[in-house]
Coordinates of all heavy atoms in Angstrom, one line a residue:
M1 N 127.4 -32.2 69.6 CA 128.3 -31.5 68.7 C 127.4 -30.8 67.6 O 126.4 -31.4 67.2 CB 129.2 -32.6 68.0 CG 130.1 -32.0 67.0 SD 131.1 -33.3 66.1 CE 132.6 -32.9 67.0
A2 N 127.8 -29.7 67.3 CA 127.0 -28.9 66.3 C 127.3 -29.3 64.9 O 128.3 -29.9 64.6 CB 127.4 -27.4 66.5
A3 N 126.2 -29.2 64.1 CA 126.3 -29.6 62.7 C 127.3 -28.6 62.0 O 127.3 -27.4 62.3 CB 124.9 -29.6 62.1
P4 N 128.0 -29.1 61.0 CA 128.9 -28.1 60.3 C 128.2 -27.2 59.6 O 127.1 -27.4 59.0 CB 129.8 -29.1 59.4 CG 129.0 -30.4 59.4 CD 128.1 -30.5 60.5
S5 N 128.7 -25.9 59.6 CA 128.0 -24.8 58.9 C 128.4 -24.9 57.4 O 129.2 -25.7 57.0 CB 128.5 -23.5 59.4 OG 129.8 -23.3 59.1
A6 N 127.7 -24.2 56.6 CA 127.9 -24.2 55.1 C 129.3 -23.9 54.8 O 129.9 -24.4 53.9 CB 126.9 -23.3 54.4
G7 N 129.9 -22.9 55.6 CA 131.3 -22.5 55.4 C 132.3 -23.6 55.6 O 133.3 -23.7 54.9
S8 N 132.1 -24.4 56.7 CA 133.0 -25.4 57.0 C 132.9 -26.6 56.0 O 133.9 -27.2 55.7 CB 132.9 -25.9 58.4 OG 131.6 -26.5 58.5
Q9 N 131.8 -26.8 55.4 CA 131.6 -27.9 54.4 C 132.4 -27.5 53.1 O 133.1 -28.4 52.6 CB 130.2 -28.0 54.0 CG 129.5 -29.0 55.0 CD 128.0 -29.3 54.5 OE1 127.4 -28.4 53.9 NE2 127.5 -30.4 54.8
S10 N 132.3 -26.3 52.8 CA 133.1 -25.9 51.5 C 134.6 -26.0 51.8 O 135.4 -26.3 50.9 CB 132.7 -24.6 51.0 OG 133.1 -23.6 52.0
A11 N 135.0 -25.8 53.0 CA 136.5 -25.9 53.3 C 136.9 -27.5 53.2 O 138.0 -27.7 52.9 CB 136.8 -25.4 54.7
L12 N 136.0 -28.4 53.5 CA 136.3 -29.8 53.5 C 136.4 -30.3 52.0 O 137.2 -31.2 51.8 CB 135.3 -30.6 54.2 CG 135.3 -30.5 55.7 CD1 134.1 -31.3 56.3 CD2 136.6 -30.9 56.4
Q13 N 135.7 -29.8 51.2 CA 135.6 -30.3 49.8 C 137.0 -30.1 49.1 O 137.5 -31.0 48.5 CB 134.6 -29.6 49.0 CG 133.2 -30.1 49.4 CD 132.1 -29.4 48.7 OE1 132.3 -28.4 48.1 NE2 130.9 -29.9 48.8
P14 N 137.7 -28.9 49.2 CA 139.0 -28.8 48.6 C 140.0 -29.8 49.2 O 140.8 -30.4 48.5 CB 139.4 -27.4 48.8 CG 138.2 -26.6 49.0 CD 137.2 -27.6 49.7
K15 N 140.0 -30.1 50.5 CA 140.9 -31.0 51.1 C 140.6 -32.4 50.6 O 141.5 -33.2 50.3 CB 140.7 -31.0 52.6 CG 141.3 -29.8 53.3 CD 141.1 -29.8 54.8 CE 141.7 -28.6 55.4 NZ 141.5 -28.6 56.9
E16 N 139.3 -32.8 50.5 CA 138.9 -34.1 49.9 C 139.4 -34.2 48.5 O 139.9 -35.2 48.1 CB 137.5 -34.4 50.1 CG 137.0 -34.5 51.5 CD 135.5 -34.4 51.7 OE1 134.8 -34.2 50.6 OE2 135.0 -34.7 52.8
Q17 N 139.2 -33.1 47.8 CA 139.6 -33.1 46.3 C 141.2 -33.3 46.2 O 141.7 -34.1 45.4 CB 139.2 -31.8 45.7 CG 139.5 -31.8 44.2 CD 138.8 -32.8 43.4 OE1 137.6 -33.1 43.6 NE2 139.5 -33.4 42.5
M18 N 141.9 -32.6 47.1 CA 143.3 -32.7 47.1 C 143.8 -34.2 47.4 O 144.7 -34.7 46.8 CB 144.0 -31.8 48.1 CG 143.9 -30.3 47.6 SD 144.5 -29.1 48.9 CE 145.8 -29.9 49.7
A19 N 143.1 -34.8 48.4 CA 143.4 -36.2 48.7 C 143.2 -37.1 47.6 O 144.0 -38.0 47.3 CB 142.7 -36.6 49.9
A20 N 142.0 -36.9 46.9 CA 141.7 -37.7 45.7 C 142.7 -37.5 44.6 O 143.1 -38.5 44.0 CB 140.3 -37.4 45.2
D21 N 143.1 -36.3 44.3 CA 144.1 -36.0 43.4 C 145.4 -36.6 43.7 O 146.1 -37.2 42.8 CB 144.3 -34.4 43.1 CG 143.1 -33.8 42.5 OD1 142.3 -34.5 41.9 OD2 143.0 -32.6 42.6
R22 N 145.8 -36.6 44.9 CA 147.1 -37.2 45.4 C 147.0 -38.7 45.1 O 148.0 -39.3 44.7 CB 147.3 -36.9 46.8 CG 148.7 -37.3 47.3 CD 149.0 -36.8 48.7 NE 147.9 -36.9 49.7 CZ 147.2 -35.9 50.2 NH1 147.5 -34.7 49.9 NH2 146.3 -36.1 51.1
G23 N 145.9 -39.3 45.4 CA 145.8 -40.8 45.2 C 145.9 -41.1 43.7 O 146.5 -42.1 43.4
R24 N 145.2 -40.3 42.9 CA 145.4 -40.6 41.4 C 146.8 -40.4 41.0 O 147.3 -41.2 40.2 CB 144.4 -39.7 40.6 CG 143.0 -40.1 40.6 CD 142.2 -39.4 39.6 NE 142.0 -38.0 40.0 CZ 141.1 -37.5 40.9 NH1 140.2 -38.4 41.4 NH2 141.0 -36.2 41.1
R25 N 147.5 -39.4 41.4 CA 148.9 -39.2 41.1 C 149.8 -40.4 41.5 O 150.7 -40.9 40.8 CB 149.5 -37.9 41.6 CG 149.0 -36.7 40.9 CD 149.9 -35.5 41.3 NE 149.9 -35.2 42.7 CZ 149.0 -34.5 43.4 NH1 148.0 -34.0 42.8 NH2 149.1 -34.4 44.7
M26 N 149.5 -40.9 42.7 CA 150.3 -42.0 43.2 C 150.0 -43.2 42.4 O 151.0 -44.0 42.1 CB 149.9 -42.3 44.7 CG 150.4 -41.2 45.6 SD 149.9 -41.4 47.3 CE 150.5 -43.1 47.7
L27 N 148.8 -43.5 42.0 CA 148.6 -44.6 41.1 C 149.2 -44.5 39.8 O 149.8 -45.5 39.3 CB 147.0 -44.8 40.9 CG 146.2 -45.3 42.1 CD1 144.8 -45.4 41.7 CD2 146.7 -46.7 42.3
R28 N 149.2 -43.3 39.2 CA 149.9 -43.1 38.0 C 151.4 -43.3 38.1 O 152.0 -43.9 37.2 CB 149.6 -41.7 37.4 CG 148.4 -41.6 36.5 CD 148.5 -40.3 35.9 NE 148.6 -39.2 36.9 CZ 147.7 -38.2 37.1 NH1 146.7 -38.1 36.3 NH2 147.9 -37.3 38.0
G29 N 151.9 -42.9 39.2 CA 153.4 -43.1 39.4 C 153.8 -44.5 39.6 O 154.9 -44.8 39.4
C30 N 152.9 -45.4 40.1 CA 153.2 -46.7 40.3 C 153.1 -47.7 39.1 O 153.8 -48.6 39.0 CB 152.3 -47.3 41.4 SG 152.6 -46.5 43.0
G31 N 152.2 -47.3 38.2 CA 151.9 -48.2 37.1 C 152.5 -47.7 35.8 O 153.1 -46.6 35.7
M32 N 152.4 -48.5 34.8 CA 152.9 -48.2 33.5 C 152.0 -47.1 32.8 O 150.8 -47.2 33.0 CB 153.0 -49.4 32.7 CG 153.6 -49.3 31.3 SD 153.6 -50.8 30.4 CE 155.1 -51.6 31.1
H33 N 152.6 -46.2 32.1 CA 151.7 -45.2 31.3 C 150.7 -45.9 30.5 O 151.0 -46.9 29.8 CB 152.7 -44.3 30.5 CG 152.0 -43.1 30.0 ND1 151.2 -43.2 28.8 CD2 152.0 -41.9 30.4 CE1 150.7 -42.0 28.6 NE2 151.1 -41.2 29.5
P34 N 149.5 -45.4 30.4 CA 148.4 -46.1 29.5 C 148.8 -46.2 28.1 O 148.5 -47.2 27.5 CB 147.2 -45.1 29.7 CG 147.5 -44.5 31.0 CD 148.9 -44.3 31.2
D35 N 149.6 -45.3 27.5 CA 150.0 -45.4 26.1 C 151.0 -46.6 26.0 O 151.0 -47.3 24.9 CB 150.7 -44.2 25.6 CG 149.8 -43.0 25.5 OD1 148.6 -43.2 25.5 OD2 150.3 -41.8 25.4
H36 N 151.8 -46.8 26.9 CA 152.8 -48.0 26.9 C 152.0 -49.3 27.1 O 152.3 -50.2 26.4 CB 153.8 -47.8 28.0 CG 154.7 -46.6 27.8 ND1 155.4 -46.1 28.8 CD2 154.9 -45.8 26.7 CE1 156.1 -45.0 28.4 NE2 155.8 -44.8 27.1
Q37 N 151.0 -49.3 27.9 CA 150.2 -50.5 28.1 C 149.5 -50.8 26.8 O 149.4 -52.0 26.4 CB 149.1 -50.2 29.2 CG 149.7 -50.2 30.6 CD 148.7 -50.0 31.6 OE1 147.5 -50.1 31.4 NE2 149.1 -49.7 32.8
E38 N 149.0 -49.8 26.1 CA 148.3 -50.0 24.8 C 149.3 -50.5 23.8 O 148.9 -51.4 22.9 CB 147.7 -48.7 24.4 CG 146.8 -48.8 23.1 CD 145.6 -49.7 23.3 OE1 145.1 -49.8 24.5 OE2 145.1 -50.3 22.3
A39 N 150.5 -50.0 23.7 CA 151.5 -50.5 22.8 C 151.8 -52.0 23.0 O 151.9 -52.7 22.1 CB 152.8 -49.7 22.9
L40 N 151.9 -52.3 24.3 CA 152.2 -53.8 24.6 C 150.9 -54.6 24.2 O 151.1 -55.7 23.6 CB 152.4 -54.0 26.1 CG 153.8 -53.5 26.6 CD1 153.8 -53.7 28.1 CD2 154.9 -54.2 25.9
K41 N 149.7 -54.1 24.4 CA 148.5 -54.8 24.0 C 148.4 -55.0 22.5 O 148.1 -56.1 22.0 CB 147.3 -54.0 24.6 CG 146.0 -54.8 24.4 CD 144.9 -53.9 25.0 CE 143.5 -54.5 24.7 NZ 142.4 -53.7 25.3
K42 N 148.7 -53.9 21.8 CA 148.6 -54.0 20.3 C 149.6 -54.9 19.7 O 149.3 -55.5 18.6 CB 148.7 -52.6 19.7 CG 147.5 -51.7 19.9 CD 147.6 -50.4 19.2 CE 146.4 -49.6 19.4 NZ 146.5 -48.3 18.6
N43 N 150.7 -55.1 20.3 CA 151.8 -55.9 19.8 C 151.9 -57.2 20.5 O 152.9 -58.0 20.3 CB 153.1 -55.2 19.8 CG 153.1 -53.9 18.9 OD1 153.0 -54.1 17.7 ND2 153.0 -52.8 19.5
R44 N 151.0 -57.6 21.3 CA 151.0 -58.8 22.2 C 151.3 -60.0 21.5 O 152.2 -60.8 21.8 CB 149.7 -58.8 23.0 CG 149.7 -59.9 24.1 CD 148.5 -59.7 24.9 NE 148.3 -60.8 25.9 CZ 149.0 -60.7 27.1 NH1 149.6 -59.6 27.4 NH2 148.9 -61.7 27.9
V45 N 150.5 -60.4 20.4 CA 150.7 -61.6 19.7 C 152.1 -61.8 19.1 O 152.7 -62.8 19.2 CB 149.6 -61.8 18.6 CG1 149.8 -63.1 17.8 CG2 148.2 -61.9 19.4
V46 N 152.6 -60.7 18.4 CA 153.9 -60.8 17.8 C 154.9 -60.9 18.8 O 155.9 -61.7 18.8 CB 154.1 -59.5 17.0 CG1 155.6 -59.4 16.5 CG2 153.2 -59.4 15.8
L47 N 154.8 -60.2 19.9 CA 155.8 -60.3 21.0 C 155.8 -61.6 21.7 O 156.8 -62.2 21.9 CB 155.5 -59.2 22.1 CG 155.8 -57.8 21.7 CD1 155.3 -56.8 22.7 CD2 157.3 -57.6 21.5
A48 N 154.6 -62.2 21.9 CA 154.5 -63.5 22.5 C 155.1 -64.6 21.6 O 155.7 -65.6 22.2 CB 153.0 -63.8 22.8
K49 N 155.1 -64.4 20.3 CA 155.7 -65.4 19.4 C 157.1 -65.3 19.2 O 157.9 -66.2 19.1 CB 155.0 -65.2 18.0 CG 153.6 -65.8 17.9 CD 153.1 -65.6 16.5 CE 151.6 -66.1 16.3 NZ 151.1 -65.9 15.0
E50 N 157.7 -64.0 19.3 CA 159.0 -63.8 18.9 C 160.0 -63.4 20.0 O 161.2 -63.4 19.7 CB 159.0 -62.7 17.8 CG 158.2 -63.2 16.6 CD 158.3 -62.2 15.4 OE1 159.1 -61.2 15.5 OE2 157.5 -62.4 14.5
L51 N 159.6 -63.1 21.2 CA 160.6 -62.7 22.2 C 161.6 -63.9 22.5 O 161.1 -65.0 22.6 CB 159.9 -62.3 23.5 CG 159.2 -60.9 23.5 CD1 158.5 -60.7 24.8 CD2 160.1 -59.8 23.2
L52 N 162.8 -63.5 22.7 CA 163.8 -64.4 23.2 C 164.1 -64.0 24.6 O 164.8 -62.9 24.8 CB 165.1 -64.4 22.3 CG 164.8 -64.7 20.9 CD1 166.1 -64.5 20.0 CD2 164.3 -66.1 20.8
L53 N 163.7 -64.7 25.6 CA 163.7 -64.3 26.9 C 164.9 -64.3 27.7 O 165.1 -63.5 28.6 CB 162.7 -65.2 27.7 CG 161.2 -64.8 27.7 CD1 160.4 -65.6 28.6 CD2 161.0 -63.3 28.0
S54 N 165.9 -65.1 27.4 CA 167.0 -65.3 28.3 C 167.8 -64.0 28.6 O 167.9 -63.5 29.7 CB 168.1 -66.3 27.7 OG 168.5 -65.9 26.4
E55 N 168.2 -63.2 27.6 CA 168.9 -61.9 27.8 C 167.9 -60.9 28.2 O 168.2 -60.0 29.1 CB 169.5 -61.5 26.5 CG 170.8 -62.2 26.2 CD 171.5 -61.7 25.0 OE1 171.6 -60.4 24.9 OE2 172.0 -62.5 24.1
L56 N 166.7 -60.9 27.8 CA 165.6 -59.9 28.1 C 165.4 -60.0 29.6 O 165.3 -58.9 30.3 CB 164.4 -60.2 27.3 CG 163.2 -59.2 27.5 CD1 163.6 -57.9 27.0 CD2 162.0 -59.8 26.7
L57 N 165.2 -61.2 30.1 CA 164.9 -61.3 31.6 C 166.1 -60.8 32.4 O 165.9 -60.2 33.5 CB 164.6 -62.7 31.9 CG 163.2 -63.2 31.5 CD1 163.1 -64.7 31.8 CD2 162.1 -62.5 32.0
E58 N 167.3 -61.1 32.0 CA 168.5 -60.7 32.6 C 168.6 -59.1 32.7 O 169.0 -58.5 33.8 CB 169.7 -61.3 32.1 CG 169.9 -62.7 32.2 CD 169.7 -63.2 33.7 OE1 170.4 -62.6 34.6 OE2 168.9 -64.2 33.9
H59 N 168.3 -58.5 31.6 CA 168.3 -57.1 31.5 C 167.3 -56.5 32.5 O 167.6 -55.5 33.2 CB 168.0 -56.6 30.1 CG 168.1 -55.1 29.9 ND1 169.3 -54.4 29.8 CD2 167.1 -54.2 29.9 CE1 169.0 -53.1 29.7 NE2 167.7 -53.0 29.7
L60 N 166.0 -57.0 32.4 CA 165.0 -56.5 33.4 C 165.3 -56.8 34.8 O 164.9 -55.9 35.7 CB 163.6 -57.2 33.0 CG 163.1 -56.8 31.6 CD1 161.9 -57.6 31.2 CD2 162.8 -55.3 31.4
L61 N 166.0 -57.9 35.1 CA 166.4 -58.2 36.5 C 167.5 -57.2 36.9 O 167.4 -56.6 38.0 CB 167.0 -59.6 36.5 CG 167.3 -60.1 37.8 CD1 166.1 -60.2 38.8 CD2 167.9 -61.5 37.7
E62 N 168.4 -56.9 36.0 CA 169.4 -55.9 36.3 C 168.9 -54.5 36.6 O 169.4 -53.8 37.5 CB 170.4 -55.8 35.1 CG 171.6 -54.9 35.3 CD 172.5 -54.9 34.0 OE1 173.1 -56.0 33.8 OE2 172.4 -54.0 33.3
R63 N 167.8 -54.1 35.9 CA 167.2 -52.8 36.1 C 166.1 -52.8 37.2 O 165.5 -51.8 37.4 CB 166.5 -52.4 34.8 CG 167.5 -52.2 33.6 CD 168.1 -50.8 33.6 NE 167.2 -49.7 33.8 CZ 166.5 -49.1 32.8 NH1 166.7 -49.4 31.5 NH2 165.7 -48.1 33.0
D64 N 166.0 -53.9 37.9 CA 165.1 -54.0 39.0 C 163.6 -53.9 38.5 O 162.8 -53.4 39.3 CB 165.4 -53.0 40.1 CG 166.6 -53.3 40.9 OD1 166.9 -54.4 41.1 OD2 167.3 -52.3 41.2
I65 N 163.3 -54.3 37.3 CA 161.9 -54.3 36.8 C 161.3 -55.6 37.3 O 160.1 -55.6 37.6 CB 162.0 -54.2 35.3 CG1 162.6 -52.9 34.8 CG2 160.5 -54.3 34.8 CD1 162.0 -51.6 35.4
I66 N 162.1 -56.7 37.3 CA 161.6 -57.9 37.8 C 162.5 -58.4 38.9 O 163.6 -58.0 39.0 CB 161.4 -59.0 36.7 CG1 162.8 -59.4 36.1 CG2 160.4 -58.6 35.7 CD1 162.7 -60.7 35.2
T67 N 162.0 -59.3 39.7 CA 162.8 -60.0 40.8 C 163.2 -61.3 40.4 O 162.7 -61.9 39.4 CB 161.9 -60.0 42.1 OG1 160.8 -61.0 41.8 CG2 161.4 -58.7 42.5
L68 N 164.1 -61.9 41.1 CA 164.5 -63.3 40.9 C 163.3 -64.2 40.9 O 163.2 -65.1 40.1 CB 165.5 -63.8 41.9 CG 166.9 -63.2 41.8 CD1 167.8 -63.5 43.0 CD2 167.6 -63.8 40.5
E69 N 162.4 -64.0 41.9 CA 161.2 -64.9 42.0 C 160.3 -64.8 40.8 O 159.7 -65.8 40.2 CB 160.4 -64.5 43.2 CG 161.1 -64.9 44.5 CD 162.1 -63.8 45.0 OE1 162.2 -62.7 44.4 OE2 163.0 -64.2 45.8
M70 N 160.2 -63.5 40.2 CA 159.4 -63.3 39.0 C 160.0 -64.0 37.8 O 159.3 -64.6 37.0 CB 159.2 -61.9 38.7 CG 158.4 -61.1 39.7 SD 158.5 -59.3 39.3 CE 157.5 -58.7 40.7
R71 N 161.4 -63.9 37.7 CA 162.1 -64.6 36.6 C 161.8 -66.2 36.7 O 161.5 -66.8 35.7 CB 163.6 -64.3 36.7 CG 164.3 -65.0 35.5 CD 165.8 -64.8 35.6 NE 166.3 -65.5 36.7 CZ 167.6 -65.5 37.1 NH1 168.5 -64.8 36.3 NH2 168.0 -66.1 38.1
E72 N 161.9 -66.7 37.9 CA 161.7 -68.1 38.1 C 160.2 -68.5 37.7 O 160.0 -69.5 37.1 CB 162.0 -68.5 39.5 CG 163.5 -68.5 39.8 CD 163.8 -68.7 41.3 OE1 162.9 -69.0 42.1 OE2 165.0 -68.6 41.6
H73 N 159.3 -67.6 38.1 CA 157.9 -67.9 37.8 C 157.6 -67.9 36.3 O 156.9 -68.7 35.8 CB 157.0 -66.8 38.5 CG 155.6 -66.9 38.2 ND1 154.8 -67.9 38.9 CD2 154.8 -66.2 37.4 CE1 153.6 -67.8 38.4 NE2 153.5 -66.8 37.6
I74 N 158.2 -66.9 35.6 CA 158.1 -66.8 34.2 C 158.7 -68.1 33.5 O 158.2 -68.8 32.7 CB 158.8 -65.6 33.6 CG1 158.0 -64.4 34.0 CG2 159.0 -65.6 32.1 CD1 158.7 -63.0 33.9
Q75 N 159.9 -68.5 33.9 CA 160.6 -69.6 33.3 C 160.0 -70.9 33.7 O 160.2 -71.9 32.9 CB 162.1 -69.6 33.8 CG 162.9 -68.5 33.2 CD 164.3 -68.3 33.8 OE1 164.6 -68.7 34.9 NE2 165.2 -67.8 32.9
A76 N 159.1 -71.0 34.7 CA 158.4 -72.2 35.1 C 157.3 -72.5 34.1 O 156.8 -73.7 34.1 CB 157.9 -72.1 36.5
K77 N 156.9 -71.5 33.3 CA 155.8 -71.8 32.4 C 156.2 -72.6 31.2 O 157.4 -72.7 30.9 CB 155.3 -70.4 31.8 CG 154.7 -69.5 32.9 CD 153.4 -70.1 33.4 CE 152.8 -69.2 34.4 NZ 151.6 -69.7 35.1
T78 N 155.3 -73.3 30.7 CA 155.7 -74.3 29.6 C 155.8 -73.6 28.2 O 154.9 -72.9 27.8 CB 154.6 -75.4 29.5 OG1 154.4 -76.0 30.7 CG2 154.9 -76.4 28.4
G79 N 156.9 -73.8 27.6 CA 157.1 -73.3 26.3 C 157.4 -71.8 26.2 O 157.1 -71.0 27.2
S80 N 158.1 -71.3 25.2 CA 158.4 -70.0 25.1 C 157.2 -69.0 24.9 O 157.2 -67.9 25.5 CB 159.5 -69.8 23.9 OG 158.8 -70.1 22.7
F81 N 156.2 -69.5 24.2 CA 155.0 -68.7 24.1 C 154.4 -68.4 25.4 O 154.1 -67.3 25.8 CB 154.0 -69.3 23.1 CG 152.8 -68.4 22.9 CD1 152.9 -67.5 21.8 CD2 151.7 -68.6 23.6 CE1 151.8 -66.7 21.5 CE2 150.6 -67.8 23.3 CZ 150.6 -66.8 22.2
G82 N 154.3 -69.4 26.3 CA 153.7 -69.3 27.6 C 154.5 -68.4 28.5 O 154.0 -67.6 29.3
Q83 N 155.8 -68.5 28.4 CA 156.7 -67.6 29.1 C 156.7 -66.2 28.7 O 156.6 -65.3 29.6 CB 158.2 -68.1 29.0 CG 158.5 -69.5 29.6 CD 159.8 -70.0 29.4 OE1 160.6 -69.5 28.6 NE2 160.1 -71.2 30.0
N84 N 156.6 -66.0 27.4 CA 156.5 -64.6 26.9 C 155.1 -64.0 27.3 O 155.1 -62.8 27.7 CB 156.6 -64.6 25.4 CG 158.0 -65.0 24.9 OD1 158.9 -64.9 25.7 ND2 158.1 -65.3 23.7
V85 N 154.1 -64.7 27.3 CA 152.8 -64.2 27.7 C 152.8 -63.8 29.2 O 152.3 -62.8 29.6 CB 151.6 -65.3 27.5 CG1 150.4 -64.9 28.2 CG2 151.4 -65.4 26.0
E86 N 153.4 -64.7 30.0 CA 153.6 -64.4 31.4 C 154.4 -63.1 31.6 O 154.0 -62.3 32.5 CB 154.3 -65.5 32.2 CG 154.2 -65.4 33.6 CD 152.8 -65.5 34.2 OE1 151.9 -66.1 33.6 OE2 152.5 -64.9 35.2
L87 N 155.5 -62.8 30.9 CA 156.2 -61.6 31.1 C 155.3 -60.4 30.6 O 155.3 -59.4 31.3 CB 157.5 -61.6 30.2 CG 158.2 -60.2 30.1 CD1 158.7 -59.9 31.5 CD2 159.4 -60.4 29.1
L88 N 154.6 -60.6 29.5 CA 153.7 -59.5 29.0 C 152.6 -59.2 30.0 O 152.1 -58.0 30.1 CB 153.1 -59.8 27.6 CG 154.2 -59.9 26.6 CD1 153.6 -60.5 25.2 CD2 154.8 -58.6 26.3
N89 N 152.1 -60.2 30.7 CA 151.1 -59.9 31.8 C 151.7 -59.2 33.0 O 151.0 -58.4 33.6 CB 150.5 -61.3 32.3 CG 149.7 -62.0 31.3 OD1 149.2 -61.3 30.3 ND2 149.5 -63.2 31.4
L90 N 153.0 -59.5 33.2 CA 153.6 -58.8 34.4 C 154.1 -57.4 34.2 O 154.0 -56.6 35.1 CB 154.8 -59.7 34.8 CG 155.7 -59.4 36.0 CD1 154.8 -59.6 37.2 CD2 156.8 -60.3 36.1
L91 N 154.6 -57.1 33.0 CA 155.2 -55.8 32.7 C 154.4 -54.6 33.1 O 154.9 -53.7 33.7 CB 155.7 -55.7 31.2 CG 157.0 -56.3 30.9 CD1 157.2 -56.2 29.4 CD2 158.1 -55.5 31.7
P92 N 153.1 -54.6 32.7 CA 152.4 -53.3 33.0 C 152.2 -53.0 34.5 O 151.9 -51.9 34.9 CB 150.9 -53.6 32.4 CG 151.2 -54.7 31.4 CD 152.4 -55.5 31.9
K93 N 152.5 -54.0 35.3 CA 152.4 -53.8 36.8 C 153.7 -53.4 37.4 O 153.7 -53.3 38.7 CB 151.8 -55.1 37.4 CG 150.5 -55.6 36.9 CD 150.2 -57.0 37.3 CE 149.0 -57.5 36.5 NZ 148.9 -58.9 36.7
R94 N 154.7 -53.3 36.6 CA 156.1 -53.2 37.2 C 156.6 -51.7 37.2 O 157.7 -51.4 37.3 CB 157.0 -54.0 36.4 CG 156.7 -55.5 36.5 CD 156.6 -56.0 38.0 NE 157.8 -55.7 38.7 CZ 157.9 -55.6 40.0 NH1 156.8 -55.7 40.8 NH2 159.0 -55.4 40.6
G95 N 155.7 -50.7 37.1 CA 156.1 -49.4 37.3 C 156.3 -48.6 36.0 O 156.3 -49.2 34.9
P96 N 156.5 -47.3 36.2 CA 156.6 -46.4 35.0 C 157.9 -46.6 34.2 O 157.9 -46.2 33.1 CB 156.5 -45.0 35.6 CG 156.9 -45.1 37.1 CD 156.5 -46.5 37.4
Q97 N 158.8 -47.2 34.8 CA 160.2 -47.4 34.0 C 160.2 -48.7 33.3 O 161.1 -49.0 32.5 CB 161.3 -47.4 35.1 CG 161.4 -46.1 35.9 CD 161.5 -44.8 35.0 OE1 162.2 -44.8 34.1 NE2 160.7 -43.8 35.4
A98 N 159.2 -49.5 33.5 CA 159.2 -50.9 32.9 C 159.2 -50.9 31.4 O 159.9 -51.7 30.8 CB 158.1 -51.7 33.5
F99 N 158.4 -50.0 30.8 CA 158.4 -50.1 29.4 C 159.6 -49.6 28.8 O 160.1 -50.3 27.8 CB 157.2 -49.1 28.9 CG 156.9 -49.1 27.4 CD1 156.2 -50.2 26.9 CD2 157.4 -48.2 26.6 CE1 156.0 -50.3 25.5 CE2 157.2 -48.2 25.2 CZ 156.5 -49.2 24.7
D100 N 160.2 -48.5 29.2 CA 161.6 -48.1 28.7 C 162.6 -49.2 28.9 O 163.4 -49.4 27.9 CB 162.0 -46.8 29.4 CG 161.1 -45.6 29.0 OD1 160.5 -45.7 27.9 OD2 161.1 -44.7 29.7
A101 N 162.7 -49.8 30.1 CA 163.6 -50.9 30.2 C 163.4 -52.0 29.3 O 164.4 -52.6 28.8 CB 163.6 -51.3 31.6
F102 N 162.1 -52.3 29.1 CA 161.8 -53.4 28.1 C 162.3 -53.1 26.7 O 162.9 -53.9 26.0 CB 160.3 -53.7 28.2 CG 159.7 -54.7 27.2 CD1 160.1 -56.0 27.3 CD2 158.9 -54.3 26.1 CE1 159.5 -57.0 26.4 CE2 158.4 -55.2 25.2 CZ 158.8 -56.5 25.4
C103 N 162.0 -51.9 26.3 CA 162.4 -51.4 24.9 C 163.9 -51.4 24.8 O 164.5 -51.9 23.8 CB 161.9 -50.0 24.6 SG 160.0 -50.0 24.4
E104 N 164.6 -51.0 25.9 CA 166.1 -51.0 25.8 C 166.6 -52.4 25.7 O 167.5 -52.7 25.0 CB 166.6 -50.3 27.1 CG 166.5 -48.8 27.1 CD 166.8 -48.2 28.4 OE1 167.6 -48.9 29.2 OE2 166.4 -47.1 28.7
A105 N 166.0 -53.3 26.5 CA 166.4 -54.7 26.4 C 166.1 -55.4 25.0 O 167.0 -56.2 24.6 CB 165.6 -55.6 27.4
L106 N 165.1 -54.9 24.4 CA 164.8 -55.4 23.0 C 165.9 -55.0 22.0 O 166.3 -55.7 21.1 CB 163.4 -54.9 22.5 CG 162.3 -55.5 23.2 CD1 161.0 -54.9 22.6 CD2 162.2 -57.0 23.0
H107 N 166.5 -53.8 22.2 CA 167.5 -53.2 21.3 C 168.9 -53.7 21.7 O 169.8 -53.5 20.9 CB 167.4 -51.7 21.4 CG 166.3 -51.1 20.8 ND1 165.9 -51.2 19.4 CD2 165.2 -50.5 21.3 CE1 164.8 -50.6 19.2 NE2 164.3 -50.2 20.3
A108 N 169.1 -54.2 22.9 CA 170.4 -54.7 23.3 C 170.8 -55.9 22.6 O 170.1 -56.7 22.1 CB 170.4 -54.9 24.8

């Protein structure tokens, strides 16, 4: 097989770049926006101390942000602080809609 010419190498680079860009877009679409992650991080201690989980978890379950198994896992933690921390650890991994659903649940 012949070695690729200089012209064919340059044609591969844009395709590779497009694939890399598509991968980055997919990751952004799956996770929480970095600004929202930062807001949760900055308010983590206050949230961990003050969240009242019962209605909050039901709202997040209703919006498909968490599953029944996740709710059970959170509720299995000892004490409200531990349960709140578990939810705060989980939220950033639950997609781009998780932050808005969380904020709506806080206002409900």
